[in-house]
Amino acid sequence: MSNQLLYYSPIETAINRIESLLEDPLESKISRRSIALLLLQKDPVLRSQLQEKTYFSEIERIVADTEAYFSESLSSVIAESRHKRAMAIEQDITIQPQQQRAFKNEWLHKLTVHPVTGVPILALVLYYGVYQFVGVFGGGTLVDGIEGFFESHINPFVNTIVAAIFPWQVIQDLFANDYGIITLGIRYAVAIVLPVVATFFLMFSLLEDSGYLPRLSLLIDRFFKTIGLSGRSIIPLILGLGCGTMATLVTRTLESKRERIIATLLLALTIPCSAQLGVILGLLSQEPTALLVWATVMVAIFLGIGFLAGKIVPGNASCFYMEIPPLRLPRPQAILTKTYVRLKWYFGEILPLFIFASILIWAGKLTGLFDVLVRGLEPVMLWLGLPKEAAPTFLYGFFRRDYGAAGMFDLHSSGILAGQQLVVAAVTLTLFIPCVAQLQFMFKERGVKKTIAIAIFVVFFAFSLGYLLNQLLTIMELSF
Amino acid sequence: MLTQGFSVHYSPLDYLGTKTQGVITAIKNKDEKIVKKLLAMGVHKGMQITLEQKFPSFIIRVGRTRIAIDKNIASSISVRVTTRN
């Protein structure tokens, strides 16, 4: 067998004819044969590159002539030849032992994909993997430890040093004190985001390398079709429970534009990130009815908005296909390397944003712009049945999504926010615009127009729903 | 009645029962991108195919590859059935 892959003769003839037409040195990096093959398969990039050439119409004619020889598309015919050759090579060089077991761990695979056993396994994986490990251990235990260390050791130290170097309060506030670059920006990145994201990436790499994620997708696909998504979307949506910013980036792995828009919208509106989730769960868990109302409302909105978006957002219904790799025991070395590389990338992208947010808060307070915005928000708070003291919580919540929830915690413990108000505030804050970092990534991934449309919708929807919920709870006379 | 000892049964994949084996006779979908993806995963005309599961998603085995697909994609794969159950 020669090393050269030979296609059916009409295709070989076409390749020769196209090769003789191509003479520019422009495509010197790719062999002429490859270019000819790509043109026969109607590669859109190459076609637009060669559109202007005088010989382009000649190429079009050759492609059309060749197509007439086959009943299937040239892509299929070419792929078939390649595949045959690959199979021949494989048969040549591999030995099949007699009675080889077709797949290892077949029973485990069956358990994970069968609807009766697969769904409970899915629930267990999500509960222990995401909620217990990332939420409770990463977002609770680790965050408390590192955050406490910052509060008790690093922040006072930085405050003293900065105060000694700069005699001016304004400059001191830029670096230290409540909203400084080091005391807020860096602390936030290291104490809150690092443990959550590290535990999350660790768990995610583990699920990825074990081969479980495609099985999760295939279980959920049919259900996700009803909200305009496909099984593939479960991956960014679960990532969103860790960090919405990262998840928005991952939506680029989705198949269609339509699916990417719906997933971005659901991430921005309904999926609470781990920082937020931690505080809200902590706050509402003292009042089980409140927690139940919050959870019910969030799930209903997720389903409702997903269903409507699936009807409204233009484009074809999503399709779903995914290779199912065998289940494997992950190698610790590979997991750790993956987690490390992701964390490194993540910090490169995210740390400047936190520093930027600190500077923005500093400038906003300095110029009095924040006071103006807070006063503007106060009537909205009253409209929602909330005390006007809740206004700063919403504004700062935009810069640090969890700060909004943490602000609620303070308001609750000082007795300003109680019962019904707490539920309304929690729902509105969860729905409200994601943090500034996520918004920035939405601009990057979805473009300016779509992001502005989504942002306006989210703000409008969050406050309207808060209002409705407040009215509804008042009518139903639910007490918490 | 004269019965033929041999019958050939052609069908789109989504009409078949689980555990059916067959040979792929055609892959047709109005979305050319889906056809290309299937080809890239090794789902070709003439390949042996086994339908392993139908719900909640279709799971097929082609060669040594296992692939999950939805009903729409399953309907675009035509199969000549080789097992009878």
Side-chain angles (χ1 to χ4, degrees):
Chain A
M1 242 186 242
S2 89
N3 281 324
Q4 175 95 23
L5 170 53
L6 280 178
Y7 298 95
Y8 295 113
S9 64
I11 290 182
E12 285 296 336
T13 316
I15 291 173
N16 285 334
R17 285 173 67 193
I18 294 175
E19 273 184 317
S20 64
L21 284 171
L22 300 166
E23 43 202 72
D24 300 55
L26 150 99
E27 296 90 13
S28 58
K29 277 188 184 156
I30 316 172
S31 78
R32 285 181 183 181
R33 188 176 168 84
S34 305
I35 293 173
L37 277 166
L38 282 172
L39 285 168
L40 285 171
Q41 293 170 87
K42 300 202 163 154
D43 181 72
V45 180
L46 204 56
R47 279 170 68 89
S48 67
Q49 267 177 26
L50 299 180
Q51 203 98 58
E52 248 99 85
K53 305 281 187 215
T54 45
Y55 53 73
F56 188 71
S57 56
E58 178 69 11
I59 289 178
E60 291 264 68
R61 222 163 43 83
I62 299 173
V63 174
D65 284 353
T66 318
E67 271 173 336
Y69 278 99
F70 301 96
S71 61
E72 285 159 309
S73 73
L74 290 180
S75 311
S76 304
V77 180
I78 290 171
E80 202 188 301
S81 303
R82 287 177 177 162
H83 196 245
K84 268 190 189 151
R85 178 91 172 101
M87 295 237 293
I89 295 174
E90 193 229 10
Q91 236 148 44
D92 241 22
I93 59 165
T94 51
I95 304 163
Q96 282 253 44
Q98 298 285 310
Q99 296 281 313
Q100 185 203 33
R101 275 188 304 166
F103 285 96
K104 270 168 99 182
N105 301 327
E106 186 66 21
W107 61 275
L108 195 58
H109 160 78
K110 288 223 168 94
L111 281 182
T112 55
V113 297
H114 194 278
V116 176
T117 48
V119 174
I121 291 178
L122 186 155
L124 282 178
V125 167
L126 290 187
Y127 179 75
Y128 284 105
V130 179
Y131 179 74
Q132 285 293 342
F133 183 65
V134 181
V136 177
F137 174 68
T141 319
L142 287 182
V143 166
D144 288 348
I146 304 176
E147 168 101 277
F149 181 72
F150 255 90
E151 298 280 5
S152 60
H153 290 85
I154 297 182
N155 280 5
F157 177 71
V158 170
N159 288 349
T160 326
I161 296 274
V162 169
I165 300 173
F166 305 104
W168 309 281
Q169 179 74 35
V170 176
I171 303 290
Q172 285 174 18
D173 282 348
L174 178 60
F175 293 102
N177 301 334
D178 284 352
Y179 301 102
I181 292 176
I182 301 172
T183 45
L184 184 139
I186 308 271
R187 172 175 64 94
Y188 184 48
V190 175
I192 297 176
V193 177
L194 178 69
V196 172
V197 173
T199 43
F200 189 85
F201 283 166
L202 196 65
M203 183 47 65
F204 198 75
S205 309
L206 201 71
L207 288 178
E208 206 177 22
D209 278 22
S210 64
Y212 185 67
L213 285 180
R215 289 169 174 82
L216 182 65
S217 301
L218 81 86
L219 280 174
I220 211 97
D221 178 61
R222 222 170 252 253
F223 167 64
F224 266 28
K225 287 271 165 66
T226 59
I227 56 170
L229 296 170
S230 80
R232 228 170 249 273
S233 318
I234 189 75
I235 295 170
L237 290 183
I238 287 183
L239 259 175
L241 291 172
C243 172
T245 309
M246 179 74 188
T248 307
L249 183 79
V250 169
T251 54
R252 65 166 66 161
T253 60
L254 300 179
E255 207 55 39
S256 68
K257 230 181 188 167
R258 177 184 126 100
E259 210 178 325
R260 289 196 284 266
I261 293 173
I262 298 176
T264 308
L265 171 66
L266 288 175
L267 281 169
L269 186 69
T270 56
I271 307 281
C273 71
S274 56
Q276 217 182 9
L277 205 59
V279 183
I280 286 179
L281 287 179
L283 196 61
L284 297 184
S285 59
Q286 299 151 13
E287 330 215 16
T289 338
L291 189 63
L292 191 70
V293 171
W294 175 80
T296 314
V297 170
M298 291 320 296
V299 170
I301 292 172
F302 176 82
L303 296 177
I305 291 294
F307 183 76
L308 285 178
K311 294 263 176 254
I312 293 167
V313 178
N316 292 329
S318 351
C319 63
F320 173 71
Y321 59 85
M322 213 175 218
E323 204 177 318
I324 310 292
L327 286 168
R328 288 197 181 93
L329 206 60
R331 284 179 34 230
Q333 182 64 44
I335 301 278
L336 290 178
T337 312
K338 252 185 183 175
T339 310
Y340 169 73
V341 170
R342 281 188 176 139
L343 272 179
K344 209 171 96 180
W345 170 86
Y346 183 77
F347 269 85
E349 296 274 323
I350 228 81
L351 199 59
L353 283 179
F354 285 135
I355 293 173
F356 176 67
S358 294
I359 296 174
L360 221 58
I361 293 181
W362 174 76
K365 286 178 90 75
L366 193 69
T367 54
L369 184 66
F370 270 26
D371 294 331
V372 175
L373 288 175
V374 165
R375 266 199 299 281
L377 270 174
E378 279 173 3
V380 181
M381 294 299 114
L382 296 175
W383 194 55
L384 295 178
L386 299 176
K388 67 179 184 355
E389 287 86 347
T393 308
F394 278 80
L395 185 61
Y396 294 150
F398 172 61
F399 292 99
R400 300 169 42 190
R401 215 176 181 187
D402 74 304
Y403 180 90
M408 267 171 55
F409 205 90
D410 294 342
L411 289 176
H412 178 58
S413 36
S414 53
I416 298 173
L417 208 59
Q420 182 174 330
Q421 294 176 328
L422 208 56
V423 181
V424 174
V427 167
T428 316
L429 261 180
T430 315
L431 293 175
F432 191 54
I433 281 272
C435 69
V436 69
Q438 187 171 343
L439 196 70
Q440 185 156 342
F441 269 73
M442 282 164 68
F443 276 118
K444 220 168 164 177
E445 293 293 314
R446 289 296 88 76
V448 177
K449 254 170 64 187
K450 284 181 197 119
T451 304
I452 290 176
I454 291 178
I456 290 174
F457 172 75
V458 167
V459 173
F460 178 77
F461 186 85
F463 287 119
S464 312
L465 200 108
Y467 175 76
L468 282 177
L469 184 66
N470 185 43
Q471 299 295 321
L472 194 72
L473 292 176
T474 311
I475 293 167
M476 288 162 65
E477 291 179 0
L478 267 178
S479 58
F480 299 102
Chain B
M1 266 288 249
L2 203 77
T3 12
Q4 253 180 313
F6 169 81
S7 78
V8 189
H9 182 61
Y10 290 93
S11 173
L13 191 70
D14 59 326
Y15 282 106
L16 299 176
T18 39
K19 305 246 167 69
T20 313
Q21 290 188 353
V23 175
I24 300 173
T25 53
I27 300 168
K28 292 249 155 67
N29 194 299
K30 57 180 189 295
D31 188 353
E32 186 65 20
K33 245 171 68 189
I34 291 177
V35 179
K36 278 191 182 168
K37 293 281 178 189
L38 286 172
L39 291 175
M41 287 190 291
V43 182
H44 285 256
K45 205 173 74 177
M47 291 288 288
Q48 278 274 353
I49 187 170
T50 309
L51 180 60
E52 294 192 335
Q53 189 173 313
K54 289 182 80 170
F55 186 87
S57 294
F58 285 74
I59 301 179
I60 55 171
R61 216 169 70 200
V62 177
R64 266 186 275 277
T65 315
R66 188 176 250 153
I67 301 164
I69 50 179
D70 62 18
K71 194 175 156 65
N72 168 35
I73 297 181
S75 70
S76 63
I77 303 175
S78 298
V79 175
R80 190 183 74 232
V81 178
T82 53
T83 49
R84 292 247 128 218
N85 33 350

